[in-house]
Amino acid sequence: MKASVEAPSNIAFVKYWGARDLERAIPNHPSISMSLSVCRSLCTADFRDGDGGADDVWLIEEDGTRRRPDAKFSERACRHLDQLRRLTERRGRFVVGTRNTFPSAAGIASSASGFAALTLAAMRALGREPDGPELSSLARLSGSGSAARSVLGGYVEWPRGATDDECFAFPLAAASHWDLRDVIAVVEAEAKKVPSRDGHRLASSSPHYARRRELVPGRLETVRAAIHDRDLDALGPVIEEEGIELHLIAMSSRPPVYYWRPETLAVLARVRELREEGVSAWSTMDAGANVHVICAAAEEPAVATALASTAGVERVIRDGVGDGPRALASHLL
Ligand code: PMV
């Protein structure tokens, strides 16, 4: 059976950083994100019943040509497929093709959309239609925590979960509730050198991590209320603090992890200038050098123009809040 889906990437407003169980991505504290509309992963899973061969994973180019992913990605995807197959007690092999609509592993959460899409396509190919909580929990088993949020559209919270069974994301508001935009300044399109998994593992070695855990509950409350009230001026300072703090902790972990490039700082400065010019635009970052700038729909053109002319910005992606996963009209392979 073959199934094809696409799933959104997401940008965290309150970040997931540090885990109680890294393999199963059980976080130290809750996180909140916005699912995206343009940055998405497409995935076809073909499950060949009874075939005992090894699983096959392909990256599919826009023109349909296939290439092998690097060994690490392949291994991770195959491990996840194997877990799903075992959970459903099926025998057979997967042939999987996947494609991102944006640069992979560059702070645009490709693991989030990639593993959300892979989980849903594989489950459908196995003949199962998981409900929201199950799909979120299964996506998290890939080891990518942010994938647990990418199974939903709009604004999403992923709680800490007292037990493994309670650790799944739930919707805070639909995409239609608030038309926020995310203008992404890409200053580094190639894969980052340190995977986010290493950052999570090292987080608690930073002297600032304990303080972060004290601050997160208040920020969660502010972000929930700001989403509810569609209040960008309340949301903005928190997401900016969150972006900086993730990197503060990474840079002060032992050993330290540096994701930023000099161009990252130039973009952060440009966003502060935009605010001085009266534009309500707020930066945030995941584990990478690129900067996400959150603003209202009316400000998006001005923000995109300003970022495109900032030195060191290779490309600007104009994205915004988007819906959850959906079926694709045609298969990738
Ligand atoms: O999805 P993971 O397990 O690779 O973790 C990435 C977490 C961040 O993107 C850095 C922050 C977040 O909450 O999305």
Side-chain angles (χ1 to χ4, degrees):
M1 184 131 88
K2 226 185 227 191
S4 294
V5 302
E6 61 164 66
S9 179
N10 68 75
I11 178 66
F13 288 170
V14 178
K15 314 289 174 184
Y16 156 50
W17 202 237
R20 279 130 74 204
D21 178 343
L22 253 184
E23 288 303 315
R24 306 163 70 79
I26 305 194
N28 281 333
H29 56 72
S31 55
I32 294 179
S33 59
M34 174 175 97
S35 291
L36 299 179
S37 164
V38 172
C39 292
R40 300 177 78 92
S41 294
L42 282 53
C43 181
T44 293
D46 182 5
F47 185 68
R48 302 182 179 175
D49 224 351
D51 182 336
D55 296 332
D56 238 346
V57 178
W58 297 95
L59 298 182
I60 313 290
E61 306 288 350
E62 220 172 333
D63 64 3
T65 54
R66 301 176 179 195
R67 70 186 166 83
R68 289 278 179 206
D70 65 54
K72 266 197 184 150
F73 176 83
S74 225
E75 214 176 278
R76 205 170 157 199
C78 288
R79 209 177 328 121
H80 190 50
L81 290 169
D82 199 37
Q83 291 192 85
L84 301 177
R85 177 172 37 224
R86 276 189 282 118
L87 279 171
T88 51
E89 299 180 343
R90 295 286 299 275
R91 274 169 201 277
R93 85 177 181 107
F94 282 105
V95 180
V96 164
T98 182
R99 182 163 81 76
N100 293 335
T101 61
F102 58 97
S104 305
I108 315 179
S110 61
S111 65
S113 52
F115 281 106
L118 179 69
T119 306
L120 182 56
M123 289 306 283
R124 285 190 176 165
L126 288 164
R128 289 269 304 269
E129 185 62 46
D131 65 12
E134 189 191 5
L135 182 58
S136 177
S137 299
L138 290 173
R140 162 173 76 65
L141 288 185
S142 67
S144 169
S146 51
R149 299 186 310 242
S150 269
V151 303
L152 293 164
Y155 301 87
V156 178
E157 176 159 351
W158 176 35
R160 180 175 190 272
T163 64
D164 199 343
D165 291 345
E166 292 168 13
C167 192
F168 53 83
F170 61 87
L172 284 177
S176 56
H177 168 73
W178 194 12
D179 186 10
L180 274 187
R181 302 296 163 92
D182 178 7
V183 185
I184 308 167
V186 178
V187 298
E188 180 179 65
E190 68 267 21
K192 63 192 177 215
K193 293 185 183 54
V194 186
S196 46
R197 174 172 285 235
D198 292 351
H200 287 298
R201 190 168 46 76
L202 295 169
S204 59
S205 70
S206 161
H208 304 292
Y209 193 63
R211 180 70 185 132
R212 165 168 181 70
R213 292 191 59 182
E214 289 169 7
L215 293 169
V216 161
R219 291 189 190 144
L220 288 162
E221 261 178 49
T222 308
V223 168
R224 283 185 205 113
I227 290 171
H228 178 269
D229 300 341
R230 302 185 193 93
D231 184 348
L232 185 54
D233 291 329
L235 180 74
V238 181
I239 65 172
E240 209 159 280
E241 250 168 56
E242 276 288 299
I244 300 294
E245 194 171 273
L246 185 151
H247 290 271
L248 165 78
I249 286 168
M251 289 188 240
S252 58
S253 291
R254 297 185 187 129
V257 180
Y258 294 91
Y259 291 112
W260 283 7
R261 292 170 59 112
E263 297 81 5
T264 307
L265 281 170
V267 176
L268 295 180
R270 187 69 190 98
V271 174
R272 288 196 301 272
E273 268 171 30
L274 275 171
R275 284 205 298 277
E276 278 161 23
E277 293 159 17
V279 179
S280 184
W282 302 87
S283 62
T284 196
M285 284 152 290
D286 280 347
N290 301 324
V291 183
H292 294 249
V293 184
I294 306 297
C295 62
E299 313 271 37
E300 185 197 326
V303 171
T305 305
L307 296 182
S309 62
T310 303
V313 173
E314 289 174 18
R315 158 179 183 203
V316 167
I317 300 173
R318 293 171 69 159
D319 209 333
V321 64
D323 292 321
R326 55 179 165 246
L328 287 178
S330 56
H331 299 301
L332 297 182
L333 43 77

